Amino acid sequence: MKMWSGRFTKETDELVEDFHSSISFDSRLYKQDIRGSIAHARMLGEQGIISKEESRLIIEGLREIEREIEEGKTEFSVDAEDIHMNIEKILTEKIGEVGKKLHTARSRNDQVALDMRMYLKEEIKVIMGLLADLQQAIVDKAEKHLDVIMPGYTHLQKAQPVLFSHHLLAYFEMFQRDFERLLDCRKRTDVMPLGSGALAGTTFPIDRERVKEELGFRVISRNSMDAVSDRDFVLEFLFCASMIMMHLSRFCEEIILWSTNEFGFVEVDDAYGTGSSIMPQKKNPDVAELVRGKTGRVYGSLMALLTVMKSLPLAYNKDMQEDKENLFDALDTVKGCLQVFIPMLDTLKIFPEKMHREAQRGFANATDVADYLAEKGIPFREAHEITGRLVLYCIERGITLGDLSLEEFKKFSGAFEEDIHQRLSIESCVMRRDVPGATGPRQVSRALTESKEIIRLNRQHLV
Ligand code: ARG
């Protein structure tokens, strides 16, 4: 018999039963559901809404149910619909009629909002921890290869030489913003909705602050109708997750590109690559490709839930049950991707000579020639023009700027002197970019030190 069968004269259609049941996926909320129910039952007892003895029996029953679920003894039933009613049903089977008092002054609408917030709060912390681990892996790699020079690109064309460590630390910044976004998202998730009832609150003299304290929330929700129909916190998280995936996908794309025979900058460790069933020479960067590909699923979850929530009238609507699979899938995907990406990065082999050689090609030092002329007093636009002509001259002869004699340089501008050759080395190009945030070794060393401190502060949010 259904818990809400009183008003009905007919059984639910069998197809509908399966259709609206969420137990197959929301059973993963059992821990939060039980913890929330224990806090609720304790408060009901303290407030004299149920007796102390009833409260004690309910709490004991709930604890036992938790143990049994953990031991894998529990079989949930589809006709009890969702995790909330399944647990209540088991409770009543276990402790009898008194179990039916648990739902006093509560609705599944505020209950599910509570469970989702508790669950997401914990998961956000796990992901923040993974982000901090990833940042550590980035810092370790950057530190190990601090002075390696590689070509920096714009439009995927060689632009200027940069330190490989500087390139890596660019990703550190992206993941730092992701970390801060999650911190902010956690703040808005950390709101206790229980006591909102179905939508209008409750007639019972409950103590919401007491429940908030026991469950470790920051504040209680301020409007019961909003509290039961708000899924902004899930959407916000899905956006944060999408952003993390977008950043990971860019990193993966570079690893894939750098692993090609054409680039040859890096090699993915055997443990993170796979072979081909036909081409014996192949080692494919599958892990990086799959992370790149899984980005689409997470974007999909965000778009799906945004669309579910669009135009929904207040307050709770069953549409909102669709929040769960989207959230759970995105959580599993982001965690899974971070967990495999971190060791892949850790074990990634770097080929500094190849990076260095490529940085010397493609006129990556041309800006430095223009800067040199500008330092000598030639207006930058003109210096740019002169250097452009020099580059063309070299391209026509199949040589580099470094191959030109001082006499040849002088044909383009009288401002060139002996020191031009030393300015053409890629070491000089990197070294001279010494403003805050630039690729110069002094700046990158400083950035590394700061990054380590940032990780330390990030970890403080995880205790
Ligand atoms: N399983 C439901 C959900 O996930 C719980 C809330 C149901 N409330 C209701 N009035 N049908 O949204």
Side-chain angles (χ1 to χ4, degrees), residues 351-387:
F351 299 111
E353 303 77 27
K354 184 72 202 297
M355 290 184 181
H356 196 272
R357 195 161 0 136
E358 285 303 325
Q360 282 171 314
R361 304 180 52 206
F363 302 95
N365 53 2
T367 311
D368 289 68
V369 175
D371 285 354
Y372 173 92
L373 291 174
E375 280 165 38
K376 305 269 174 184
I378 296 175
F380 184 76
R381 271 293 144 244
E382 209 175 302
H384 184 288
E385 171 69 26
I386 294 167
T387 311

Side-chain angles (χ1 to χ4, degrees), residues 4 20-23 25-26 29 81-85 107-113 116 198 228 231 316-324:
W4 37 255
H20 81 169
S21 169
S22 53
I23 188 65
F25 49 85
D26 68 12
L29 295 172
E81 212 176 303
D82 55 24
I83 187 62
H84 325 293
M85 291 202 290
S107 154
R108 266 188 301 154
N109 298 349
D110 54 353
Q111 187 179 358
V112 72
M116 287 291 277
V228 293
R231 292 294 180 273
Y316 177 84
N317 300 273
K318 186 81 169 204
D319 313 48
M320 289 156 66
Q321 179 167 288
E322 289 291 310
D323 61 352
K324 284 169 205 64

Side-chain angles (χ1 to χ4, degrees), residues 28-65:
R28 70 157 100 181
L29 295 172
Y30 80 89
K31 247 184 186 324
Q32 291 70 25
D33 198 70
I34 290 173
R35 261 191 76 201
S37 288
I38 289 176
H40 182 66
R42 193 183 329 275
M43 180 278 294
L44 290 178
E46 283 170 3
Q47 296 296 103
I49 298 168
I50 60 176
S51 76
K52 281 258 157 60
E53 178 58 12
E54 287 167 336
S55 167
R56 194 186 61 75
L57 283 170
I58 290 173
I59 293 172
E60 254 174 36
L62 286 167
R63 290 210 173 109
E64 204 179 305
I65 293 172

Side-chain angles (χ1 to χ4, degrees), residues 82 101 117 174 229 242 264 268:
D82 55 24
K101 291 201 170 188
R117 286 177 180 274
M174 296 178 222
S229 61
S242 298
V268 171

